Amino acid sequence: MLSSGCYKLAVVLVCVLLLAVTIALCITTLKIKDLQLRYKKLSEEKDQLQVHCNNMTAEKVQLEEKNGILTHDKSQLETKLSAMTGERDELQRRLSELESHDMKTIKQHAVNVTLDPDTANPHLILSADGKQVKQGDKPQNVPDTPKRFNHAGSVLGKEGFSSGKFYYEVQVKGKTVWDIGVAKESINRKGKITLAPNYGYWTISLYDGTYAAAADPSVPLSLKGKPQRVGVFVDYDAGLVSFYDADCWHHIYSFTNVSFTEKIYPFFSTWGNDNSAPLIISPVSICPIN
Protein backbone atom coordinates (compact mmCIF):
# COMPACT_ATOMS: atom_id res chain seq x y z
CA MET A 1 0.00 0.00 0.00
CA LEU A 2 1.00 3.57 -0.74
CA SER A 3 2.28 5.56 2.08
CA SER A 4 0.39 8.59 3.20
CA GLY A 5 3.01 10.89 1.62
CA CYS A 6 2.87 9.18 -1.71
CA TYR A 7 -0.91 9.31 -1.75
CA LYS A 8 -0.95 13.02 -1.10
CA LEU A 9 1.59 13.58 -3.85
CA ALA A 10 -0.53 11.61 -6.27
CA VAL A 11 -3.60 13.67 -5.39
CA VAL A 12 -1.68 16.88 -5.99
CA LEU A 13 -0.43 15.67 -9.35
CA VAL A 14 -3.93 14.68 -10.38
CA CYS A 15 -5.26 18.10 -9.35
CA VAL A 16 -2.51 19.86 -11.26
CA LEU A 17 -3.23 17.76 -14.32
CA LEU A 18 -6.95 18.46 -14.08
CA LEU A 19 -6.24 22.20 -13.74
CA ALA A 20 -3.96 22.15 -16.78
CA VAL A 21 -6.62 20.33 -18.80
CA THR A 22 -9.27 22.81 -17.64
CA ILE A 23 -7.11 25.78 -18.60
CA ALA A 24 -6.36 24.24 -21.98
CA LEU A 25 -10.07 23.66 -22.58
CA CYS A 26 -10.85 27.26 -21.67
CA ILE A 27 -8.19 28.60 -24.02
CA THR A 28 -9.43 26.36 -26.81
CA THR A 29 -13.01 27.47 -26.21
CA LEU A 30 -11.97 31.14 -26.35
CA LYS A 31 -10.07 30.54 -29.58
CA ILE A 32 -13.08 28.79 -31.08
CA LYS A 33 -15.36 31.68 -30.11
CA ASP A 34 -12.87 34.19 -31.58
CA LEU A 35 -12.69 32.20 -34.79
CA GLN A 36 -16.49 32.04 -34.91
CA LEU A 37 -16.74 35.82 -34.48
CA ARG A 38 -14.13 36.44 -37.16
CA TYR A 39 -15.91 34.01 -39.47
CA LYS A 40 -19.22 35.77 -38.85
CA LYS A 41 -17.63 39.18 -39.51
CA LEU A 42 -15.98 37.94 -42.69
CA SER A 43 -19.28 36.44 -43.84
CA GLU A 44 -21.03 39.78 -43.25
CA GLU A 45 -18.31 41.64 -45.13
CA LYS A 46 -18.59 39.11 -47.95
CA ASP A 47 -22.35 39.69 -48.13
CA GLN A 48 -21.83 43.48 -48.16
CA LEU A 49 -19.23 43.18 -50.91
CA GLN A 50 -21.56 40.96 -52.89
CA VAL A 51 -24.35 43.56 -52.58
CA HIS A 52 -21.93 46.32 -53.59
CA CYS A 53 -20.71 44.24 -56.51
CA ASN A 54 -24.29 43.61 -57.64
CA ASN A 55 -25.03 47.36 -57.41
CA MET A 56 -21.92 48.21 -59.42
CA THR A 57 -22.88 45.64 -62.03
CA ALA A 58 -26.35 47.18 -62.31
CA GLU A 59 -24.83 50.68 -62.56
CA LYS A 60 -22.42 49.44 -65.22
CA VAL A 61 -25.31 48.10 -67.26
CA GLN A 62 -27.17 51.40 -66.90
CA LEU A 63 -24.06 53.40 -67.88
CA GLU A 64 -23.52 51.16 -70.90
CA GLU A 65 -27.13 51.73 -71.95
CA LYS A 66 -26.76 55.51 -71.48
CA ASN A 67 -23.46 55.47 -73.36
CA GLY A 68 -25.15 53.65 -76.21
CA ILE A 69 -27.92 56.25 -76.32
CA LEU A 70 -25.44 59.16 -76.13
CA THR A 71 -23.29 57.61 -78.86
CA HIS A 72 -26.35 57.27 -81.06
CA ASP A 73 -27.43 60.86 -80.33
CA LYS A 74 -23.90 62.12 -81.01
CA SER A 75 -23.85 60.30 -84.34
CA GLN A 76 -27.21 61.83 -85.30
CA LEU A 77 -26.08 65.32 -84.26
CA GLU A 78 -22.85 64.96 -86.24
CA THR A 79 -24.83 63.87 -89.27
CA LYS A 80 -27.22 66.83 -88.90
CA LEU A 81 -24.31 69.23 -88.34
CA SER A 82 -22.55 67.92 -91.43
CA ALA A 83 -25.73 68.34 -93.46
CA MET A 84 -26.30 71.86 -92.11
CA THR A 85 -22.68 72.80 -92.83
CA GLY A 86 -23.07 71.50 -96.37
CA GLU A 87 -26.29 73.47 -96.83
CA ARG A 88 -24.64 76.62 -95.45
CA ASP A 89 -21.65 76.23 -97.77
CA GLU A 90 -23.93 75.63 -100.74
CA LEU A 91 -26.04 78.69 -99.91
CA GLN A 92 -22.88 80.76 -99.49
CA ARG A 93 -21.59 79.51 -102.85
CA ARG A 94 -24.88 80.24 -104.62
CA LEU A 95 -25.04 83.65 -102.98
CA SER A 96 -21.49 84.34 -104.09
CA GLU A 97 -22.29 83.35 -107.68
CA LEU A 98 -25.49 85.40 -107.70
CA GLU A 99 -23.82 88.50 -106.34
CA SER A 100 -20.76 88.14 -108.55
CA HIS A 101 -22.99 88.20 -111.65
CA ASP A 102 -24.77 91.26 -110.26
CA MET A 103 -21.68 93.45 -109.81
CA LYS A 104 -22.98 96.33 -111.92
CA THR A 105 -26.29 96.38 -110.05
CA ILE A 106 -24.54 96.43 -106.68
CA LYS A 107 -22.17 99.22 -107.67
CA GLN A 108 -25.09 101.29 -108.84
CA HIS A 109 -26.01 101.65 -105.17
CA ALA A 110 -22.75 103.48 -104.44
CA VAL A 111 -23.10 106.22 -101.83
CA ASN A 112 -20.88 109.09 -100.80
CA VAL A 113 -19.42 108.10 -97.42
CA THR A 114 -17.40 110.50 -95.30
CA LEU A 115 -15.91 110.00 -91.84
CA ASP A 116 -17.53 111.54 -88.79
CA PRO A 117 -14.84 113.33 -86.73
CA ASP A 118 -17.18 113.46 -83.71
CA THR A 119 -16.96 109.64 -83.43
CA ALA A 120 -13.22 109.21 -84.11
CA ASN A 121 -10.94 107.88 -81.40
CA PRO A 122 -8.56 110.67 -80.24
CA HIS A 123 -5.55 108.76 -81.63
CA LEU A 124 -6.99 108.84 -85.16
CA ILE A 125 -6.13 111.52 -87.71
CA LEU A 126 -8.79 112.28 -90.32
CA SER A 127 -8.17 114.07 -93.60
CA ALA A 128 -9.85 117.43 -94.20
CA ASP A 129 -12.21 115.91 -96.78
CA GLY A 130 -13.24 113.10 -94.40
CA LYS A 131 -12.10 110.38 -96.79
CA GLN A 132 -8.98 109.12 -95.02
CA VAL A 133 -8.15 107.93 -91.50
CA LYS A 134 -4.76 107.12 -90.02
CA GLN A 135 -3.37 106.15 -86.63
CA GLY A 136 -1.52 109.07 -85.03
CA ASP A 137 1.46 109.07 -82.69
CA LYS A 138 -0.40 110.88 -79.91
CA PRO A 139 -4.01 111.66 -79.02
CA GLN A 140 -5.71 114.71 -80.48
CA ASN A 141 -7.16 117.39 -78.25
CA VAL A 142 -10.84 116.58 -78.81
CA PRO A 143 -13.81 116.45 -76.42
CA ASP A 144 -14.84 113.04 -75.07
CA THR A 145 -18.49 113.08 -76.16
CA PRO A 146 -20.90 110.11 -75.93
CA LYS A 147 -20.52 109.58 -79.69
CA ARG A 148 -16.74 109.17 -79.58
CA PHE A 149 -14.80 105.90 -79.33
CA ASN A 150 -12.36 106.34 -76.45
CA HIS A 151 -10.52 103.00 -76.46
CA ALA A 152 -10.77 101.27 -79.85
CA GLY A 153 -9.15 102.99 -82.85
CA SER A 154 -12.49 103.29 -84.59
CA VAL A 155 -14.60 105.83 -86.43
CA LEU A 156 -18.05 105.82 -88.06
CA GLY A 157 -19.27 107.34 -91.26
CA LYS A 158 -21.38 110.50 -91.05
CA GLU A 159 -24.15 109.02 -93.14
CA GLY A 160 -26.53 106.53 -91.52
CA PHE A 161 -28.99 104.24 -93.27
CA SER A 162 -32.29 102.77 -92.11
CA SER A 163 -33.62 101.31 -95.37
CA GLY A 164 -32.67 100.44 -98.93
CA LYS A 165 -29.32 99.42 -100.36
CA PHE A 166 -25.93 101.09 -100.29
CA TYR A 167 -22.38 100.32 -101.37
CA TYR A 168 -18.97 101.86 -100.73
CA GLU A 169 -15.33 100.92 -101.17
CA VAL A 170 -12.31 101.28 -98.89
CA GLN A 171 -8.68 101.22 -99.97
CA VAL A 172 -6.63 99.04 -97.59
CA LYS A 173 -3.40 99.02 -99.61
CA GLY A 174 -0.34 99.07 -97.36
CA LYS A 175 -2.35 98.29 -94.23
CA THR A 176 -1.60 95.34 -91.95
CA VAL A 177 -4.41 95.87 -89.43
CA TRP A 178 -7.96 96.95 -90.18
CA ASP A 179 -11.66 96.31 -89.54
CA ILE A 180 -14.30 97.37 -92.06
CA GLY A 181 -18.06 96.98 -92.15
CA VAL A 182 -21.15 98.51 -90.59
CA ALA A 183 -22.38 99.10 -87.06
CA LYS A 184 -25.70 99.99 -85.52
CA GLU A 185 -26.22 103.41 -83.99
CA SER A 186 -26.58 102.20 -80.40
CA ILE A 187 -23.23 100.37 -80.18
CA ASN A 188 -21.06 100.78 -77.11
CA ARG A 189 -18.32 103.29 -77.90
CA LYS A 190 -16.54 103.41 -74.56
CA GLY A 191 -13.89 101.01 -73.36
CA LYS A 192 -13.12 97.71 -75.03
CA ILE A 193 -15.56 96.76 -77.78
CA THR A 194 -16.41 93.35 -79.22
CA LEU A 195 -16.85 93.14 -82.98
CA ALA A 196 -19.66 90.63 -83.45
CA PRO A 197 -23.28 90.73 -84.67
CA ASN A 198 -24.58 90.26 -81.11
CA TYR A 199 -22.92 93.55 -80.22
CA GLY A 200 -24.15 95.43 -83.30
CA TYR A 201 -21.15 95.02 -85.63
CA TRP A 202 -20.93 93.27 -89.01
CA THR A 203 -17.30 93.45 -90.08
CA ILE A 204 -14.35 91.67 -91.62
CA SER A 205 -10.76 92.22 -90.57
CA LEU A 206 -7.09 91.76 -91.27
CA TYR A 207 -4.86 91.08 -88.29
CA ASP A 208 -1.46 89.39 -88.05
CA GLY A 209 -1.73 88.33 -91.70
CA THR A 210 -5.08 86.59 -91.18
CA TYR A 211 -8.38 87.64 -92.70
CA ALA A 212 -11.53 86.86 -90.72
CA ALA A 213 -15.22 87.64 -90.52
CA ALA A 214 -16.24 88.87 -87.07
CA ALA A 215 -19.08 86.38 -86.69
CA ASP A 216 -19.76 84.49 -83.47
CA PRO A 217 -17.45 82.59 -83.44
CA SER A 218 -14.97 84.28 -85.77
CA VAL A 219 -14.74 82.78 -89.28
CA PRO A 220 -11.26 82.55 -90.89
CA LEU A 221 -11.32 83.64 -94.54
CA SER A 222 -9.29 82.04 -97.32
CA LEU A 223 -8.86 84.67 -100.03
CA LYS A 224 -7.44 84.29 -103.51
CA GLY A 225 -5.21 87.30 -102.94
CA LYS A 226 -4.67 90.30 -100.70
CA PRO A 227 -7.43 92.83 -101.37
CA GLN A 228 -6.26 96.35 -102.09
CA ARG A 229 -9.81 97.71 -102.01
CA VAL A 230 -12.71 96.21 -100.09
CA GLY A 231 -16.28 96.76 -101.23
CA VAL A 232 -19.10 96.79 -98.69
CA PHE A 233 -22.68 96.21 -99.86
CA VAL A 234 -25.70 96.39 -97.56
CA ASP A 235 -29.31 95.52 -98.34
CA TYR A 236 -30.98 96.83 -95.19
CA ASP A 237 -34.44 95.43 -95.91
CA ALA A 238 -33.13 91.98 -96.91
CA GLY A 239 -30.79 91.80 -93.89
CA LEU A 240 -27.64 91.35 -95.99
CA VAL A 241 -24.07 92.63 -95.48
CA SER A 242 -21.60 91.48 -98.13
CA PHE A 243 -17.90 92.12 -98.69
CA TYR A 244 -15.94 91.97 -101.96
CA ASP A 245 -12.45 92.31 -103.30
CA ALA A 246 -13.43 95.39 -105.29
CA ASP A 247 -10.58 95.15 -107.81
CA CYS A 248 -11.22 91.62 -109.05
CA TRP A 249 -14.79 91.37 -107.74
CA HIS A 250 -14.35 88.25 -105.71
CA HIS A 251 -16.92 87.66 -103.03
CA ILE A 252 -15.27 87.58 -99.58
CA TYR A 253 -18.06 86.97 -97.07
CA SER A 254 -21.73 87.72 -96.35
CA PHE A 255 -23.76 88.11 -93.19
CA THR A 256 -27.28 86.97 -94.04
CA ASN A 257 -30.69 87.07 -92.34
CA VAL A 258 -29.67 90.09 -90.28
CA SER A 259 -32.58 91.73 -88.45
CA PHE A 260 -31.77 95.43 -88.59
CA THR A 261 -33.95 97.43 -86.21
CA GLU A 262 -32.19 100.79 -86.18
CA LYS A 263 -29.99 103.07 -88.23
CA ILE A 264 -26.61 101.62 -89.24
CA TYR A 265 -23.37 103.41 -90.15
CA PRO A 266 -20.22 102.52 -92.09
CA PHE A 267 -17.55 101.41 -89.62
CA PHE A 268 -13.76 101.71 -89.87
CA SER A 269 -10.98 100.72 -87.47
CA THR A 270 -7.19 100.92 -87.63
CA TRP A 271 -5.04 100.53 -84.56
CA GLY A 272 -1.81 99.25 -83.05
CA ASN A 273 1.45 100.17 -84.74
CA ASP A 274 -0.05 100.10 -88.24
CA ASN A 275 0.22 103.83 -89.00
CA SER A 276 2.19 103.58 -92.24
CA ALA A 277 -0.82 104.07 -94.52
CA PRO A 278 -4.37 105.39 -94.14
CA LEU A 279 -7.69 103.72 -94.80
CA ILE A 280 -9.15 105.59 -97.77
CA ILE A 281 -12.79 105.75 -98.82
CA SER A 282 -12.39 105.35 -102.58
CA PRO A 283 -14.53 106.53 -105.51
CA VAL A 284 -16.62 103.66 -106.87
CA SER A 285 -16.11 102.69 -110.49
CA ILE A 286 -18.90 100.80 -112.27
CA CYS A 287 -16.79 99.83 -115.27
CA PRO A 288 -16.94 96.13 -116.17
CA ILE A 289 -14.23 94.00 -114.55
CA ASN A 290 -12.81 91.06 -116.49
Side-chain angles (χ1 to χ4, degrees):
M1 294 183 64
L2 294 173
S3 64
S4 176
C6 291
Y7 178 78
K8 290 180 179 179
L9 179 60
V11 170
V12 171
L13 290 174
V14 170
C15 290
V16 170
L17 181 60
L18 289 173
L19 180 60
V21 171
T22 301
I23 292 172
L25 287 173
C26 290
I27 293 172
T28 302
T29 301
L30 289 173
K31 287 183 177 179
I32 291 173
K33 288 183 178 180
D34 182 62
L35 289 173
Q36 288 175 338
L37 288 174
R38 291 174 61 186
Y39 177 80
K40 182 180 180 182
K41 184 177 180 181
L42 289 173
S43 297
E44 291 175 351
E45 290 179 355
K46 175 188 174 184
D47 293 340
Q48 291 176 351
L49 287 173
Q50 186 63 50
V51 171
H52 184 62
C53 181
N54 293 339
N55 291 339
M56 290 184 65
T57 301
E59 290 177 1
K60 178 184 176 183
V61 172
Q62 291 178 348
L63 288 174
E64 288 176 345
E65 292 176 352
K66 290 181 180 179
N67 183 61
I69 294 172
L70 290 174
T71 301
H72 180 261
D73 291 346
K74 177 185 176 184
S75 177
Q76 286 188 325
L77 287 173
E78 288 176 344
T79 301
K80 290 180 180 178
L81 179 61
S82 178
M84 291 174 66
T85 301
E87 291 176 2
R88 182 201 65 186
D89 293 343
E90 176 63 16
L91 288 172
Q92 191 76 23
R93 184 189 66 79
R94 291 169 62 185
L95 179 64
S96 175
E97 290 180 352
L98 177 63
E99 292 181 345
S100 295
H101 292 312
D102 209 20
M103 179 265 295
K104 286 186 178 181
T105 301
I106 288 176
K107 288 200 171 189
Q108 286 175 356
H109 294 284
V111 293
N112 180 31
V113 174
T114 54
L115 302 171
D116 184 355
D118 292 336
T119 67
N121 181 282
H123 282 85
L124 298 182
I125 299 174
L126 276 58
S127 62
D129 63 357
K131 293 293 183 178
Q132 301 185 26
V133 58
K134 180 180 179 181
Q135 180 86 9
D137 296 327
K138 59 182 180 180
Q140 310 297 305
N141 185 19
V142 293
D144 185 15
T145 64
K147 294 176 61 177
R148 190 179 304 282
F149 292 93
N150 69 350
H151 180 77
S154 307
V155 59
L156 298 178
K158 278 187 178 181
E159 299 77 15
F161 302 86
S162 56
S163 64
K165 304 173 183 178
F166 64 93
Y167 175 80
Y168 65 94
E169 294 178 354
V170 184
Q171 179 178 307
V172 296
K173 183 179 180 180
K175 301 292 293 177
T176 59
V177 177
W178 50 259
D179 301 280
I180 295 172
V182 294
K184 65 182 184 181
E185 188 172 27
S186 63
I187 52 171
N188 174 40
R189 308 182 191 198
K190 304 301 180 183
K192 185 178 180 180
I193 63 175
T194 301
L195 299 183
N198 287 344
Y199 294 90
Y201 295 89
W202 295 268
T203 64
I204 62 171
S205 65
L206 169 64
Y207 178 73
D208 197 23
T210 300
Y211 295 92
D216 189 13
S218 178
V219 178
L221 301 174
S222 298
L223 306 185
K224 295 181 179 180
K226 296 181 178 180
Q228 303 299 296
R229 285 188 305 144
V230 175
V232 182
F233 174 67
V234 177
D235 186 335
Y236 188 101
D237 302 316
L240 173 69
V241 182
S242 293
F243 299 88
Y244 299 89
D245 183 330
D247 290 318
C248 58
W249 201 249
H250 286 152
H251 176 257
I252 297 175
Y253 187 81
S254 288
F255 294 93
T256 58
N257 298 320
V258 180
S259 297
F260 293 121
T261 58
E262 60 184 89
K263 188 175 289 187
I264 58 175
Y265 292 81
F267 173 82
F268 312 83
S269 186
T270 178
W271 39 279
N273 297 322
D274 182 29
N275 56 6
S276 58
L279 287 174
I280 302 173
I281 301 172
S282 305
V284 175
S285 170
I286 59 173
C287 297
I289 298 175
N290 297 325

